[in-house]
Amino acid sequence: MTPEALSAALFAIVTDRLATAGGVEITEGDTALERPRNRDHGDWASNIAMRLAKRLGTNPRAFAEELVPAIRALDGVASVEVAGPGFINITLEAAAAAEVARTIVESGDGYGHNDALAGHTINMEFVSANPTGPLHIGHTRWAALGDSIARVLKASGAAVTTEYYINDAGSQMDVFGLSILAAAKGEPTPEKGYPGPYIQTLAQRVLEQIPDLLERPDAEAIALARDLAYELQLAEIKQSLANFHVHFDVFFSERTLHTPDAATGLTAIDDAEARLRAQGHVYEADDAVWVRTTDFGDDKDRVLTRGNGIVTYFAADAAYYLSKKDRGFPEKIYLLGADHHGYVGRLKALAAAAGDDPDTGLSVLIGQLVNLNGAKLSKRAGNIIELDDLLDWLGADALRYWLARYPADSPLSLDGEKLRSRTNDNPVFYVQYAHARTRSVARNAADAGVTRADFEPALLVHPTENALIGALQEFPRIVAHAAELREPHRVARYLEELAGYYHRWYDACRVLPFGDEPITALHGTRLWLNDATGQVLRNGLDLIGVSAPDRM
């Protein structure tokens, strides 16, 4: 019996009991089960009696005792006890608990997927680095976290579109073009320009494609250099992300917000101003156009257009937010860097001004800085640590795992040499080695003639088997919880615990017979448990973008 099946059965039992109470309703979430901290207290626990007792006008322990007979009568339940003020502790029969091994193997890559967020349509924006240089270590953390969050959201039933907002408008792009042209001419980097050998390389590539660039008037040459170098740098960024196993469904260009519509002549920013004005939130003052965001909790009103006609970054933010809304995303997640705390209030105010509920339709996650001991500054960019260099040094798996195993809001300091180590002190090695061990056991079992033809779950009674089975049952709940909280580190920490349970089971219980010992149903049943563990490790690693090697 799976935890989901037991929870559903408990829901039915409680619902039947409430039918005579009148006016008291519950949801399936109310009968969700928890693991007792002490396994001597059973396999699963419920606090439903304590949650409902006050509404029913009864004693929680007495109400729990009323539910016990029906729970005890369920197939696969070995015992039921009421503890403390009204906890219901449930112990499953060994055979019922171990059925999860077959469920996992038969479900394959789908095990762990759930419908906790079914019906949610989410746009998730992250990284969104300027296309004026290579991705650096800060972007690396946001890329790993954002992609992992998107994966757990999808595994929990949400429809998720991942999006990269390309900051390809504004003065930084003109400075980028000036820097490229200066390098092409062999001149020093202009004031506040972009330095580094990567600019020299881009300039050379621009000259190869536009041989007469230096013969053009400066204004034309700057625009040509800017636009071509931008395309080249963006292509490099996309390749770096692909090498890091990070996928984006949409690359959204900021320029499109400033581009007039062919039919109306209006830009998306013009449209955003008109829509906010129609709702009564726009006013003119001090020779500028403002949005009254203080009505929605912002610390000050925000300027859309200055007196000189130049639109602000906030105007682009407003148009971009409305674009997401128009494209059918009722829920929007922004993953922003540590220096963007000020954006939270203005984004929530913007959502409210647009007629949305910022508490349900908008989530802003602020990531903290990461320091990686031993990392070297880029030879191409000079003042940053490049993602590509980190991948060459540490590999995508180590980076993805370590960056995913900590909450986004915690500052992070990592030791590069530990990430590279092949010891049990390195969590990614420990988990991947557990998976490789499951595959080794499966290969050796095949050579020895042990198959999954027999499955007798009642045979799995060793204490390490009970612990491993309990951990495997937890996986769907862990995934759902990680998705609801946007915390993929919960998956990584779970995998480390699961690997520990597996290694202890491996040391205590044999899948293969000794010498000439005959192959029994126990060997085949343990192979099911071995393969189920490998499947969960594989599924979990995939959720954080890490490979599951068959050999190490």
Side-chain angles (χ1 to χ4, degrees), residues 269-500:
I269 292 175
D270 295 330
D271 179 66
E273 178 184 329
R275 290 165 67 176
L276 293 172
R277 187 184 293 275
Q279 295 192 56
H281 306 311
V282 174
Y283 67 96
E284 284 82 20
D286 301 326
D287 198 28
V289 178
W290 301 72
V291 178
R292 194 175 287 105
T293 52
T294 51
D295 285 352
F296 305 101
D298 199 2
D299 59 347
K300 62 181 180 181
D301 290 345
R302 302 290 171 176
V303 176
L304 284 174
T305 307
R306 299 188 180 95
N308 57 9
I310 296 177
V311 297
T312 63
Y313 287 119
F314 181 77
D317 288 341
Y320 183 43
Y321 179 89
L322 290 171
S323 167
K324 293 180 179 182
K325 182 176 181 176
D326 293 345
R327 284 182 282 142
F329 298 109
E331 296 178 53
K332 305 155 198 74
I333 299 176
Y334 292 76
L335 179 57
L336 304 178
D339 57 345
H340 283 66
H341 279 280
Y343 276 71
V344 178
R346 75 185 69 169
L347 281 173
K348 286 189 173 292
L350 175 57
D356 297 334
D357 183 349
D359 292 330
T360 59
L362 179 68
S363 178
V364 183
L365 308 179
I366 301 295
Q368 291 299 315
L369 299 176
V370 57
N371 176 54
L372 185 56
N373 296 330
K376 298 179 180 178
L377 293 177
S378 167
K379 293 181 179 179
R380 299 192 310 148
N383 59 346
I384 64 171
I385 299 170
E386 277 194 60
L387 169 57
D388 287 346
D389 291 341
L390 292 174
L391 291 175
D392 289 342
W393 177 37
L394 302 170
D397 282 348
L399 268 177
R400 287 292 305 255
Y401 192 96
W402 277 89
L403 292 172
R405 75 186 293 263
Y406 294 95
D409 59 359
S410 64
L412 186 56
S413 182
L414 300 176
D415 184 342
E417 290 308 313
K418 187 169 184 178
L419 270 68
R420 289 164 50 88
S421 67
R422 295 174 62 83
T423 68
N424 288 343
D425 291 334
N426 182 359
V428 65
F429 175 84
Y430 186 66
V431 173
Q432 287 184 316
Y433 181 69
H435 179 267
R437 178 173 266 184
T438 68
R439 304 308 301 140
S440 174
V441 168
R443 289 191 298 271
N444 292 335
D447 292 342
V450 177
T451 70
R452 295 201 306 257
D454 294 316
F455 182 61
E456 297 185 20
L459 298 175
L460 300 178
V461 295
H462 192 277
T464 61
E465 288 170 331
N466 180 266
L468 180 56
I469 289 165
L472 294 173
Q473 290 175 328
E474 283 277 81
F475 185 55
R477 186 181 70 83
I478 295 294
V479 176
H481 203 42
E484 289 166 355
L485 297 176
R486 282 79 161 128
E487 293 181 345
H489 71 274
R490 295 176 182 273
V491 174
R493 298 303 178 121
Y494 163 82
L495 292 175
E496 292 163 31
E497 292 183 5
L498 179 62

Side-chain angles (χ1 to χ4, degrees), residues 10-28 30-31 48-58 63 67:
L10 180 59
F11 175 77
I13 291 169
V14 176
T15 301
D16 286 345
R17 168 62 180 79
L18 294 179
T20 59
V24 178
E25 297 182 356
I26 63 170
T27 67
E28 292 186 3
D30 291 320
T31 56
I48 186 66
M50 292 183 289
R51 298 178 68 172
L52 294 180
K54 185 175 182 179
R55 291 158 63 185
L56 292 172
T58 187
F63 181 53
L67 301 176

Side-chain angles (χ1 to χ4, degrees), residues 12-259:
I13 291 169
V14 176
T15 301
D16 286 345
R17 168 62 180 79
L18 294 179
T20 59
V24 178
E25 297 182 356
I26 63 170
T27 67
E28 292 186 3
D30 291 320
T31 56
L33 301 170
E34 298 180 353
R35 277 280 179 200
R37 292 185 179 180
N38 185 340
R39 290 302 299 276
D40 291 338
H41 295 164
D43 294 312
W44 298 101
S46 171
N47 64 355
I48 186 66
M50 292 183 289
R51 298 178 68 172
L52 294 180
K54 185 175 182 179
R55 291 158 63 185
L56 292 172
T58 187
N59 177 276
R61 188 175 177 92
F63 181 53
E65 293 286 2
E66 288 184 42
L67 301 176
V68 166
I71 300 172
R72 187 177 288 135
L74 295 172
D75 289 339
V77 172
S79 64
V80 185
E81 295 180 355
V82 177
F87 287 104
I88 302 173
N89 293 333
I90 305 169
T91 301
L92 300 179
E93 295 174 353
E99 274 291 337
V100 72
R102 176 154 53 191
T103 298
I104 292 168
V105 172
E106 292 178 348
S107 299
D109 294 344
Y111 184 72
H113 288 217
N114 60 86
D115 60 0
L117 297 180
H120 291 253
T121 301
I122 300 170
N123 177 285
M124 182 163 180
E125 180 208 333
F126 56 105
V127 182
S128 299
N130 289 342
T132 54
L135 296 179
H136 58 62
I137 190 170
H139 304 133
T140 301
R141 187 175 193 188
W142 318 148
L145 280 171
D147 185 69
S148 297
I149 292 171
R151 290 177 187 231
V152 296
L153 290 172
K154 291 176 183 177
S156 294
V160 182
T161 295
T162 54
E163 187 153 313
Y164 185 117
Y165 181 64
I166 311 168
N167 292 280
D168 55 3
S171 60
Q172 83 273 6
M173 295 303 298
D174 293 330
V175 173
F176 182 57
L178 278 169
S179 303
I180 296 295
L181 185 60
K185 291 179 176 181
E187 296 175 354
T189 301
E191 185 179 358
K192 297 184 179 179
Y194 293 90
Y198 85 95
I199 291 291
Q200 302 287 339
T201 301
L202 285 172
Q204 292 171 9
R205 295 176 67 187
V206 168
L207 283 172
E208 289 171 1
Q209 296 189 40
I210 311 177
D212 64 343
L213 178 72
L214 302 184
E215 301 169 16
R216 309 285 185 99
D218 274 358
E220 179 185 356
I222 290 170
L224 288 170
R226 177 195 63 205
D227 292 346
L228 179 53
Y230 155 58
E231 292 178 8
L232 295 170
Q233 186 59 59
L234 182 60
E236 181 181 307
I237 287 172
K238 290 180 178 180
Q239 187 58 56
S240 296
L241 291 167
N243 294 341
F244 199 38
H245 309 153
V246 174
H247 168 77
F248 283 95
D249 300 307
V250 176
F251 282 84
F252 188 100
S253 167
E254 183 187 355
R255 287 182 178 181
T256 62
L257 302 175
H258 299 262
T259 303

